[in-house]
Amino acid sequence: MTLPRIRVRPGNRLVGTVDVPGAKNSVLKLMAACLMADGDYVLTNVPGIDDVTTMANLLGAIGLRITHDPGRARLEISNPGNLQLVAPYELVEQIRASINVLGPLLGRFGEVRIALPGGDDFGSRPIDMHLSGLAAMGAEFTIRHGDVHAVADRLYGAEITLDFPSVGATENLVTAAVFAKGTTIIDNAAREPEIVDLCNMLVAMGARIEGVGSSTITIHGVERDELRPVNHAVIPDRVQAATYVAAAAITGGEVTVRNAVPEHMEMLLRRFGDMGITVEPQHNGVLVVGPDKLRSIDVVTLPFPGVATDYKPLVVALLSVADSVGIVTENLYPGRFRYVDELRRLGANIRTDGHHAIVRGVPRLSGAPVHAPDIRAGAALVVAGLVADGETVISDVHHIDRGYDDLVGRLASLGADIARV
């Protein structure tokens, strides 16, 4: 079987308007939260991505009934209450967000068995903080044959300080604490917009959560029968939004990125401004105007509100054709420079040293066959291909499909010479 690839040719300034779909890193966690109360849910602004299908299959194996209508960006989820407390390995290994069933099932039912999660391959991302936080609330764990078996007749409120503001650990601890007896305080909690989205949905369901969006989240436990199903709109995807900003900028284009939320990527947009990119907030999005020549800058990845690690491949792609030398420092996932060799195949001048990438801009990139090692790196290769002489063909595009809702179609609508082949 011939696998699909993405073919990109240069030459066109991107011009027009593009809509940003719902957030991958939010919708998957909202879907898991539907395990917490019986009844019928509706999620809207749902992106048409493969990870939603995988998560739906996982939750279906646990016992939820899910109808996905991609044309209407809508999920209908029915929780009958009679759930299986086992998350099967063959589905868990495909998607790291599968770990997000741990908190809801353990908090509600007192037991869950889940395989250690998979997802993108860019270095170790252990779940130690998930387990230690839940243990502080009274959970006991057995890890055997690649499975985590968690048991807690009842969770109890605790004061938990995370070693690092982990998004996944914060999400699992918040969902578990909703049903814990007493009050749970999570210090050094992650502050990402996707966590705010999850907490807002939980509050609408009847949870009692304070400090949403801050580094200290307080959860006052409720009884297991006090939550109710809700309808909820997923926030826009800030990484997809940043991708269209980068695509417009690298081509010297002028694009309105509709539904982009500037507050969700404030630091990134500030740094883009330092590169000479004009980004003006609009009524419902941002207007992006790319410069004749990008300026090189130094960038450091940090937890929100800093520059997210998911943005970094896009930044490196832009720096590869900027006017001087920029240094990008990765503070979160040291293995996340594996796509650099692919950019080098396009003629980029990049040297890595530990968790630093030194990017010396070149006048032009040159098209070549490359492969996408993960979701965001794949998108960055597409962006680089927009200004690479000749033809760039990206393989392993299943990674891109996991996180991007019709990237090819949206770029083509702006005038890009791009197609799936």
Side-chain angles (χ1 to χ4, degrees), residues 17 31 34 38 54 98 102 106 114 126 133 162 178 202 206 216 243 252 256 258 306 318 326 340 342 370 391 402 409:
T17 299
M31 293 170 69
C34 296
D38 297 354
T54 303
S98 57
L102 177 59
L106 182 61
I114 182 170
L162 297 178
V178 166
L202 291 172
T216 300
T243 303
T256 298
R258 197 157 50 195
L318 293 176
V340 163
E342 302 306 305
V370 292
E391 185 171 276
R402 284 186 50 214

Side-chain angles (χ1 to χ4, degrees), residues 59-294:
L59 295 175
I62 292 173
L64 300 188
R65 294 192 293 269
I66 301 177
T67 302
H68 186 192
D69 184 349
R72 298 171 63 197
R74 176 184 173 100
L75 278 174
E76 295 178 2
I77 301 175
S78 178
N79 184 339
N82 183 24
L83 304 182
Q84 304 296 317
L85 305 182
V86 178
Y89 169 76
E90 61 271 15
L91 293 172
V92 169
E93 69 165 343
Q94 298 178 40
I95 180 173
R96 184 167 180 82
S98 57
I99 194 65
N100 281 81
V101 307
L102 177 59
L105 290 178
L106 182 61
R108 183 179 180 191
F109 296 103
E111 182 179 10
V112 59
R113 187 185 303 274
I114 182 170
L116 292 171
D120 277 329
D121 179 18
F122 46 77
S124 173
R125 295 187 287 175
I127 61 169
D128 299 7
M129 282 186 284
H130 303 239
L131 303 188
S132 62
L134 292 169
M137 298 165 68
E140 297 181 354
F141 299 93
T142 304
I143 301 178
R144 295 183 60 191
H145 308 301
D147 285 349
V148 177
H149 183 206
V151 177
D153 289 337
R154 184 71 190 262
L155 294 174
Y156 293 88
E159 294 189 14
I160 302 166
T161 300
L162 297 178
D163 294 337
F164 173 84
S166 161
V167 172
T170 300
E171 291 163 340
N172 257 331
L173 295 176
V174 166
T175 50
V178 166
F179 292 130
K181 186 175 180 62
T183 297
T184 300
I185 299 173
I186 306 170
D187 278 321
N188 200 26
R191 300 165 54 191
E192 274 73 0
E194 295 79 14
I195 288 181
V196 175
D197 200 23
L198 173 63
C199 288
N200 287 342
M201 176 170 159
L202 291 172
V203 169
M205 291 171 65
R208 299 172 57 206
I209 306 174
E210 300 169 358
V212 176
S214 76
S215 58
T216 300
I217 301 177
T218 301
I219 307 100
H220 305 287
V222 300
E223 294 302 318
R224 289 168 172 167
D225 60 356
E226 288 187 43
L227 293 197
R228 57 189 176 273
V230 295
N231 296 355
H232 184 85
V234 183
I235 61 170
D237 193 309
R238 59 195 172 109
V239 185
Q240 289 198 58
T243 303
Y244 298 115
V245 173
I250 204 168
T251 64
E254 183 171 337
V255 172
T256 298
V257 184
R258 197 157 50 195
N259 301 327
V261 182
E263 294 79 12
H264 290 177
M265 45 184 180
E266 184 175 352
M267 182 60 70
L268 176 73
L269 297 184
R270 188 182 306 171
R271 301 316 318 277
F272 277 174
D274 294 339
M275 298 183 74
I277 304 165
T278 300
V279 183
E280 296 180 358
Q282 304 288 297
H283 169 65
N284 185 26
V286 296
L287 172 65
V288 185
V289 181
D292 292 334
K293 185 68 175 178
L294 292 161

Side-chain angles (χ1 to χ4, degrees), residues 285-330:
V286 296
L287 172 65
V288 185
V289 181
D292 292 334
K293 185 68 175 178
L294 292 161
R295 293 195 294 265
S296 294
I297 60 170
D298 296 340
V299 177
V300 176
T301 64
L302 290 168
F304 190 85
V307 176
T309 187
D310 277 352
Y311 298 140
K312 186 184 53 139
L314 298 169
V315 174
V316 173
L318 293 176
L319 289 173
S320 69
V321 291
D323 65 355
S324 184
V325 179
I327 299 174
V328 180
T329 301
E330 173 57 70

